[in-house]
């Protein structure tokens, strides 16, 4: 069955033909690790995980390479670390640790490689040098800029009018810029800022060059699919294309460009100022949205109910419905003694695969799962047929990363707050250190974080030394 994917580059649905069937290569822009990932960030993680699973099914698990980067050098990281009075390394390590827990809870398979920007500085410098040598970049005043007019078909992905692109690119009018749309490949670092030695002085990379360097290193000069959120089309993906194509002289960087749609919360744009900013961590571990903590699988199913290219409205109602659906489906598996493992050899229904191969039409695939669940309801007569349907249900749902859990765990209605004691101990110790350093903003932040995990703190003083102490217990 041919796989058809919508290609943002051509604005068409195309039959997907990999460059090399033995190594299908997918790149997705990963997180900038300065703060917990929000639910909008969860969408590409889940969507492209489904694509990864489908490609593995089609070409074999060992014949797909999925690269998702970690941006661990960025001005937002520097600012946040300074604000919290911790080192950049502490911030990026802590944020990445929580990110990895979040994506695992969402049922996403680990990518083949998760390269970190700070471990690819030499590769970035090498590409920048190539761009300068080929006349596509220039050094000026400690900076290196990409010379946009040197690429006649710049802007082919976003197809924005020139004025729009100029307005979008003109973050600052800098004397070292030759053209208004030229963008930064390298910039100087001041003392105290992270930086590396380079032919242009001590400095750090711009954001876009990271993805060109990491995709090149792990996937080559041209690869199959590049994915990300629709908000990345301009300028990030446009600039990745400019860098990679001009450095290596190909007319494409990736054959197919895929973008997931926006996410809103209860009909409104998500923003810190509107107070509807929800992190994955909060959804999993606090009762801030809908009065309870949600299982990762519920978040996943709720996210998959809309077509990936359409906008999605994130609502408590959708979470409730997703939870009911999963509860019912797991109940069916329990009744038949079926698990994801035992259903591994069950056949995949053609209609289900056809829906997924139709530009990941997951809503249609979901309707098919509901139909299978209907036929799998346990019944006295013909229980073997019902069991076979339950196996088909588990097998198909697995392709969406669903029903892979222990059906017995779903016998209880709502999940326990799941907090590892070691995790709590670590955060309590970090908070104590912040209190001792009189970093009260950090101490308050950690107290709120722990409260969200259902942990109550009791602060005191050591009678002998006068040093601050903290005891903790699980609240309620
Ligand atoms: Zn990127």
């Amino acid at each position: 069955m041919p796989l058809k994917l919508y290609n943002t580059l051509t604005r068409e649905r195309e039959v997907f033909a990999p460059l090399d069937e033995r190594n299908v290569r997918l790149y997705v822009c990963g997180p900038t690790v300065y703060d917990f990932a929000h639910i909008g960030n969860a969408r590409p993680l889940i969507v492209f995980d489904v694509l990864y699973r489908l490609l593995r099914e089609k070409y074999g698990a060992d014949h797909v390479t999925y690269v998702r980067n970690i941006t661990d050098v960025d001005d937002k990281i520097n600012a946040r670390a300074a604000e919290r009075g911790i080192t950049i390394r502490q911030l990026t390590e802590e944020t990445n640790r929580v990110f990895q827990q979040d994506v695992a809870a969402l049922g996403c398979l680990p990518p083949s490689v998760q390269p970190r920007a700070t471990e690819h500085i030499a590769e970035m410098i090498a590409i920048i040098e190539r761009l300068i040598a080929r006349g596509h970049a220039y050094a000026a005043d400690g900076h290196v800029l990409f010379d946009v007019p040197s690429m006649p078909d710049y802007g082919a992905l976003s197809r924005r009018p020139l004025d729009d692109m100029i307005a979008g690119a003109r973050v600052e009018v800098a004397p070292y810029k030759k053209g208004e749309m030229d963008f930064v490949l390298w910039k100087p670092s001041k003392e105290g800022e992270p930086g590396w030695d380079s032919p242009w002085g001590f400095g750090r990379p711009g954001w876009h060059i990271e993805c060109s360097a990491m995709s090149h290193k792990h996937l080559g000069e041209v690869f199959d699919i590049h994915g990300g959120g629709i908000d990345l089309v301009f300028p990030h993906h446009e600039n990745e294309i400019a860098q990679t194509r001009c450095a290596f002289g190909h007319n494409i960087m990736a054959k197919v460009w895929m973008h997931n749609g926006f996410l809103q919360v209860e009909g409104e744009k998500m923003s810190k100022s509107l107070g509807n900013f929800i992190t994955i961590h909060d959804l999993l571990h606090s009762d801030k949205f809908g009065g309870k903590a949600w299982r990762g699988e519920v978040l996943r199913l709720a996210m998959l109910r809309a077509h990936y290219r359409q906008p999605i409205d994130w609502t408590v109602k959708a979470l409730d419905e997703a939870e009911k659906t999963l509860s019912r489906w797991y109940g069916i598996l329990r009744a038949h003694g079926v698990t994801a493992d035992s259903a591994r050899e069950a056949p995949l229904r053609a209609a289900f695969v056809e829906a997924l191969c139709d530009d990941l039409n997951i809503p249609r695939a979901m309707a098919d799962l509901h139909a299978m669940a209907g036929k799998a309801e346990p019944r006295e007569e013909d229980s073997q047929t019902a069991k076979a349907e339950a196996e088909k249900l588990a097998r198909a749902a697995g392709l969406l990363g669903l029903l892979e859990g222990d059906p017995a765990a779903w016998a209880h209605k709502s999940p326990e707050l799941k907090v590892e004691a070691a995790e709590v101990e670590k955060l309590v110790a970090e908070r104590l250190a912040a209190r001792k350093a009189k970093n009260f903003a950090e101490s308050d932040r950690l107290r709120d974080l722990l409260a969200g995990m259902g942990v109550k703190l009791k602060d005191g003083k050591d009678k002998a030394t006068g040093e601050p102490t903290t005891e903790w217990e699980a609240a309620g």
Side-chain angles (χ1 to χ4, degrees):
M1 195 170 297
L3 168 61
K4 281 189 188 157
L5 297 172
Y6 180 85
N7 188 355
T8 310
L9 197 57
T10 58
R11 306 289 194 273
E12 273 175 39
R13 272 140 60 102
E14 297 168 357
V15 173
F16 176 66
L19 293 159
D20 176 0
E21 292 214 351
R22 290 156 309 167
N23 185 19
V24 181
R25 290 161 285 161
L26 165 69
Y27 187 93
V28 175
C29 297
T32 301
V33 284
Y34 75 104
D35 204 347
F36 291 173
H38 59 70
I39 191 63
N41 302 134
R43 195 168 189 199
L45 298 170
I46 295 170
V47 164
F48 292 107
D49 179 69
V50 172
L51 176 65
Y52 180 41
R53 288 167 185 263
L54 181 63
L55 293 171
R56 283 160 61 99
E57 178 71 30
K58 211 170 156 52
Y59 298 99
D62 298 334
H63 300 287
V64 184
T65 307
Y66 174 21
V67 179
R68 189 180 65 214
N69 69 296
I70 294 166
T71 297
D72 58 354
V73 50
D74 187 275
D75 291 351
K76 286 192 283 260
I77 295 175
N78 307 346
R80 183 61 59 87
E83 200 180 292
R84 285 180 50 191
I86 58 175
T87 66
I88 285 168
R89 190 83 190 164
Q90 276 173 318
L91 176 67
T92 55
E93 287 301 311
E94 173 198 303
T95 313
N96 184 44
R97 184 165 44 84
V98 174
F99 175 77
Q100 299 299 339
Q101 290 167 359
D102 287 349
V103 276
L106 293 174
C108 296
L109 298 173
S112 324
V113 192
Q114 294 198 67
R116 285 165 173 256
T118 53
E119 289 165 6
H120 293 74
I121 301 292
E123 287 85 348
M124 295 181 212
I125 290 174
I127 293 187
I128 296 172
E129 285 183 315
R130 280 184 83 100
L131 287 169
I132 294 175
R134 295 172 71 105
H136 291 292
Y138 56 93
D141 213 3
H143 294 72
V144 183
L145 288 116
F146 186 90
D147 185 358
V148 171
S150 77
M151 184 190 190
D153 58 346
Y154 178 85
L157 179 72
S158 58
R159 299 189 189 175
R160 283 189 170 199
L162 189 64
D163 287 352
D164 245 39
M165 289 201 285
I166 292 173
R170 199 163 40 203
V171 183
E172 49 177 337
V173 183
Y176 48 80
K177 267 193 186 184
K178 281 204 272 184
E180 289 181 287
M181 293 195 324
D182 295 356
F183 57 89
V184 168
L185 301 172
W186 189 265
K187 58 186 170 187
S189 291
K190 290 199 259 329
E191 211 185 299
E193 287 177 338
W196 291 263
D197 288 323
S198 82
W200 318 285
F202 184 72
R204 60 191 190 280
W207 172 36
H208 316 302
I209 195 70
E210 293 177 16
C211 287
S212 284
M214 292 186 272
S215 62
H216 172 241
K217 170 146 187 206
H218 299 282
L219 299 176
E221 295 177 6
V222 178
F223 52 92
D224 295 296
I225 304 173
H226 192 311
I230 188 88
D231 52 320
L232 295 183
V233 172
F234 185 87
H236 184 55
H237 287 168
E238 202 73 84
N239 292 351
E240 278 187 36
I241 290 175
Q243 294 161 165
T244 299
R245 281 187 46 199
C246 291
F248 301 109
H250 299 287
N251 58 4
I252 52 164
M253 172 185 186
K255 281 182 84 174
V256 183
W257 286 78
M258 291 176 68
H259 295 96
N260 63 270
F262 285 113
L263 177 140
Q264 288 195 317
V265 173
E266 304 283 1
E268 287 190 324
K269 191 173 157 44
M270 181 169 61
S271 80
K272 286 217 159 117
S273 57
L274 285 174
N276 63 354
F277 194 83
I278 329 166
T279 65
I280 304 170
H281 194 266
D282 275 347
L283 283 164
L284 295 171
H285 301 289
S286 83
D287 59 3
K288 286 186 192 166
F289 195 70
K292 64 193 241 187
W294 300 90
R295 296 176 201 252
E297 196 172 350
V298 171
L299 308 188
R300 186 177 179 99
L301 177 55
M303 192 68 87
L304 292 177
R305 77 191 194 286
H307 190 279
Y308 80 93
R309 286 195 285 123
Q310 298 301 318
I312 193 170
D313 191 20
W314 191 253
T315 61
V316 171
K317 186 165 163 273
L319 288 173
D320 269 329
E321 280 167 11
E323 190 176 60
K324 283 199 188 89
T325 300
L326 286 168
S327 192
R328 177 171 164 243
W329 288 353
Y330 272 116
I332 291 171
L333 300 195
R334 243 186 351 263
H336 291 293
V338 169
T339 63
D341 257 352
S342 75
R344 194 152 295 189
E345 303 298 321
L348 273 173
R349 255 171 69 94
F352 177 82
V353 179
E354 219 170 283
L356 286 186
C357 285
D358 181 13
D359 190 30
L360 297 187
N361 193 334
I362 299 170
R364 213 171 85 208
M366 208 65 86
D368 205 48
L369 289 185
H370 282 287
M372 286 182 238
K375 289 188 211 156
E377 283 289 1
R379 52 182 183 264
E380 288 283 310
E381 79 288 359
D382 209 6
S383 70
Q384 278 313 309
T385 311
K387 183 177 179 179
E389 286 295 329
E391 281 168 345
K392 280 189 210 164
L393 170 67
R395 168 80 170 96
L399 211 43
L400 300 179
L402 298 169
L403 298 186
E404 294 188 313
D406 175 8
W410 281 78
H412 318 285
K413 269 242 143 70
S414 56
E416 301 283 318
L417 270 185
K418 223 175 65 209
V419 186
E420 303 278 346
E423 170 85 347
V424 174
E425 292 286 359
K426 190 170 173 298
L427 291 170
V428 169
E430 278 174 25
R431 179 171 168 274
L432 193 59
R435 274 177 70 210
K436 283 182 183 164
K438 301 214 181 324
N439 184 347
F440 297 113
E442 175 66 1
S443 146
D444 288 350
R445 191 192 69 84
L446 288 165
R447 185 198 55 214
D448 291 347
L449 179 67
L450 285 158
M453 297 165 112
V455 175
K456 217 158 73 183
L457 299 173
K458 204 174 139 205
D459 289 332
K461 255 190 188 149
D462 186 295
K463 283 204 186 78
T465 64
E467 289 275 300
T469 60
T470 297
E471 285 171 47
W472 68 273
E473 60 180 22

